[in-house]
Amino acid sequence: MVNSAEVIMMPWVSNHEEKEPVRLWICDGNKKTGNIPTFSLPAVSTCPGKTPLCVKICYAKRTEQRFLRVYLTRVWNFGQVISNYNWPQAIIYWIRERQAKSKPIKYFRIHEGGDFFNQRYLDGWKLIARACPETRFLAFTKSFHLDYSDKPDNLIIYWSVMEDTPKERIPREGLYAYVGEAEKEAFHCRWKCDECLYCFYGKGNIVFPRH
């Protein structure tokens, strides 16, 4: 079953060349996240920190292979964020519009598929989080090389660690999300994000079973 999605239309947001709409697809939830909205990019191709194992077992890639619509909406999102410098304003507007309609977005998942592919894109999400302090944003990333030092407190970042992630690349501090075996004290994911919210509050390290 393909997750439903919403289109954000911002007629006044433009890139540097000419005024044109920014249209972004946001998934309104799925079996795992419940009713928590998610923004995604194409799997693998936008993941600079990918490892051979994560490419092999990537659930986001399998979803894109199974559902063409999912893949096309993620490709569209990628095209919009690389061609429109003001793309963050579209998401800020959408969140604030929901709040004005008494439908506040308390939690937002960044990337069911994809990752922070460069610093400018990551900085866009920092901007969004600062503009929407009432929303908690969550992302799991293998883009360890980027600068997260000035991220706002409501942007929760987990370092995504695979069994084949080179140890020398893993940041020495922060929150860690492991796939497969990990230290015993790490919390084991229950696959009910909207009921659990453990990660959204950055309570501690977590373990995901292989999908």
Side-chain angles (χ1 to χ4, degrees), residues 183-211:
E183 67 246 36
K184 294 181 180 179
E185 61 267 25
F187 180 82
H188 286 250
C189 178
R190 300 172 180 172
W191 302 111
K192 296 291 183 180
C193 296
D194 58 341
E195 297 176 7
C196 175
L197 301 176
Y198 184 91
C199 298
F200 279 93
Y201 287 93
K203 293 182 178 180
N205 299 337
I206 188 167
V207 178
F208 292 107
R210 287 196 184 187
H211 298 293

Side-chain angles (χ1 to χ4, degrees), residues 4-10 21-28 69 73 76-77 80 90-91 93-94 97-98:
S4 58
E6 297 182 53
V7 180
I8 304 171
M9 298 187 66
M10 293 285 291
V22 172
R23 298 181 175 91
L24 300 172
W25 289 88
I26 292 180
C27 175
D28 59 6
R69 181 186 176 191
T73 57
W76 177 270
N77 282 347
Q80 291 290 287
I91 295 180
Y93 176 86
W94 180 74
E97 185 181 45
R98 286 293 188 92

